[in-house]
Amino acid sequence: MASTTYSISDLAKEFDLTTRAIRFYEDMGLLQPQREGPGGRNRVYTARDRTRLKLTLRAKRLGLSLVEAKEIIDSYDSPRDTAPQLKKFLAILAEHRKKLEAQMLDLQANLDEIRTHEKDAKALLGKAEKPKTASL
């Protein structure tokens, strides 16, 4: 029974990526396609590569760097005990959560400042328009 394989175009289409992005992930060591054809020009991706790509994109959505994503994904490739892997994953997630929470506090402060300026500007506009209305 032959295992499922994918071309670079298959993966690009499935994940809505450019082939250049997939080659970049390959250069980063996240994907390791087999080479076939004349001079090994054709990349052949396995189900493992597809899963690693899917995990890479998920890690990116979480805000992880590609280096962090690779560390986590590589740790699951080895047959080691899963406890250290999960601890590392939790530590990375906690760090990113802290960064996002800090960014959210900054955004909330900016929104509060904007609301204050909007309120002040509306009050000034109301005062500026009153004399014109009263003189009519």
Side-chain angles (χ1 to χ4, degrees):
M1 182 173 152
S3 60
T4 304
T5 59
Y6 307 88
S7 70
I8 194 168
S9 299
D10 293 335
L11 293 179
K13 184 176 180 182
E14 179 179 353
F15 293 102
D16 194 26
L17 296 169
T18 63
T19 55
R20 182 177 181 184
I22 294 174
R23 286 190 301 272
F24 178 73
Y25 294 146
E26 181 183 336
D27 291 343
M28 293 290 295
L30 288 155
L31 305 173
Q32 295 153 352
Q34 300 164 7
R35 299 293 187 134
E36 292 181 355
R41 290 184 47 136
N42 299 330
R43 291 169 168 83
V44 178
Y45 297 89
T46 62
R48 176 183 174 275
D49 289 312
R50 183 186 171 279
T51 299
R52 287 177 65 92
L53 179 57
K54 190 175 191 175
L55 292 172
T56 298
L57 296 175
R58 186 177 296 159
K60 255 183 83 179
R61 280 194 305 274
L62 289 173
L64 302 178
S65 72
L66 291 179
V67 171
E68 290 168 322
K70 183 179 182 329
E71 261 183 60
I72 292 168
I73 293 167
D74 284 349
S75 74
Y76 282 96
D77 273 349
S78 65
R80 296 184 299 198
D81 179 22
T82 57
Q85 298 160 346
L86 290 171
K87 286 178 183 176
K88 179 166 189 60
F89 183 53
L90 287 171
I92 290 171
L93 288 177
E95 184 63 33
H96 280 281
R97 182 179 35 77
K98 285 179 191 174
K99 286 179 189 174
L100 289 173
E101 287 170 347
Q103 289 173 347
M104 197 158 54
L105 288 174
D106 288 344
L107 286 172
Q108 192 58 54
N110 286 343
L111 284 171
D112 290 344
E113 189 174 342
I114 287 171
R115 287 184 189 105
T116 300
H117 288 301
E118 284 176 331
K119 182 180 172 189
D120 293 347
K122 286 177 182 176
L124 288 172
L125 182 60
K127 287 179 185 176
E129 289 179 338
K130 272 191 180 178
K132 291 180 183 175
T133 310
S135 65
L136 290 177

